[in-house]
Amino acid sequence: SNPKKTEKTKSSLTLLQIGKNWSKFVDFNTLKKDSIEEKFSYYKNLGAVELNKLLAIRAKIGFKKNIFKDLKNNSLTIQSKIYKKNYEYKEKKNSLNWQLVKGNKTILNYKVKKAIINYGGRKWIAWYTEEIPINLGPYVFDNLPGLILELYDDKKNFHFIAIGVDNEQKEIYKSIKKNTIETSKENFFKAERN
C-alpha cells in the first residue's frame, strides 16, 4: 500500500466474475462483508458480536476497489470506500494496446503467453491463455486474445496470479450503498491521496 515501504505487503484473495454483459473484479472478503451486512440489515440493533464479525472481515480486505465492466457499453464503474465514505466513478473503458512479446510458461496447466503495456504510469507484464478465449483479466486489464492468469507491474508493487478457474454460476451484483458519492476519476484519486 506504500511504495516507499516495500517490506510491508498485503495479500488477499480476489475474484474475477465473468458474465454475458458484465464482469466484476473484487476482493473475496468484500463479498463476505456484503453477505454479513445483508444478514445484519434485518436486525433492529447490532451487538458486540455482530460488530466484531464486521470489523474482522473488513480488516482482511486487501484490494479496496470493486471494478465493474459493462461489456455491452464498453464502460467501467469503480467503487471504493475511502476513509468513511463510499465513492464511485464511471468512465469509458480505454482500449488497451498490448505489445505481444516472446515468452511462455504454464499456469494452472494452461499454456500462457506474455504481453506488456505501459498504463497508469507503470509498465505491466501479463500472462494470458488462449485456451480460455475470454479477453478479460484482473483490475481494469483486458483486450488480450485470452484470459489473463497473471499480471504484475515491473516494480512488483502489484501482483495478481490465478489460483483457480471454475464455472460455478453466481450472481454478479453491484453494491448500492446509501450516500455514495458519484465523482470523477480525478476527484476519486484525489480523495485516495488525501
Side-chain angles (χ1 to χ4, degrees):
S1 59
N2 185 343
K4 293 178 182 169
K5 296 182 180 179
T6 56
E7 70 282 357
K8 287 190 174 186
T9 62
K10 194 160 195 177
S11 181
S12 189
L13 181 64
T14 55
L15 182 68
L16 175 61
Q17 295 177 292
I18 301 169
K20 184 177 179 182
N21 300 317
W22 291 89
S23 76
K24 177 180 180 180
F25 185 73
V26 63
D27 189 297
F28 186 71
N29 289 303
T30 298
L31 296 178
K32 284 184 174 179
K33 179 186 68 72
D34 289 349
S35 178
I36 292 169
E37 286 177 347
E38 165 70 16
K39 178 182 173 186
F40 291 164
S41 70
Y42 299 102
Y43 289 31
K44 284 187 179 183
N45 296 309
L46 295 183
V49 171
E50 292 83 13
L51 289 173
N52 284 335
K53 279 185 182 180
L54 278 172
L55 291 173
I57 203 73
R58 282 182 183 161
K60 292 179 182 179
I61 297 171
F63 191 78
K64 306 265 186 223
K65 294 180 178 83
N66 300 336
I67 316 296
F68 300 90
K69 291 179 186 171
D70 182 336
L71 304 175
K72 278 189 170 182
N73 296 311
N74 208 30
S75 64
L76 290 173
T77 300
I78 315 284
Q79 296 178 326
S80 187
K81 187 171 195 132
I82 303 171
Y83 190 53
K84 294 182 179 180
K85 296 181 181 177
N86 296 304
Y87 287 85
E88 175 180 295
Y89 74 90
K90 296 177 183 176
E91 68 177 357
K92 268 303 214 195
K93 194 169 73 56
N94 290 328
S95 181
L96 300 176
N97 296 313
W98 292 90
Q99 180 184 355
L100 305 181
V101 295
K102 287 187 179 182
N104 52 56
K105 61 182 182 177
T106 303
I107 299 173
L108 298 174
N109 293 322
Y110 293 101
K111 294 176 185 170
V112 293
K113 296 180 179 180
K114 188 176 183 181
I116 58 173
I117 193 169
N118 289 310
Y119 178 83
R122 298 176 189 274
K123 179 180 178 181
W124 293 90
I125 296 94
W127 294 89
Y128 66 95
T129 180
E130 293 175 333
E131 295 174 46
I132 304 175
I134 297 172
N135 70 345
L136 294 170
Y139 191 36
V140 298
F141 294 94
D142 58 15
N143 205 34
L144 281 167
L147 185 65
I148 299 171
L149 296 182
E150 184 174 12
L151 175 77
Y152 49 89
D153 67 292
D154 62 345
K155 293 184 175 60
K156 297 264 179 129
N157 288 326
F158 296 93
H159 191 170
F160 304 96
I161 187 158
I163 60 168
V165 177
D166 72 42
N167 291 318
E168 186 178 344
Q169 299 289 314
K170 293 271 186 176
E171 182 182 7
I172 297 176
Y173 65 89
K174 180 181 165 198
S175 294
I176 301 172
K177 307 277 185 191
K178 291 181 189 175
N179 304 320
T180 294
I181 299 167
E182 292 187 23
T183 188
S184 66
K185 182 177 184 176
E186 295 76 24
N187 287 336
F188 181 93
F189 284 105
K190 183 178 178 184
E192 274 193 328
R193 284 190 302 274
N194 289 342

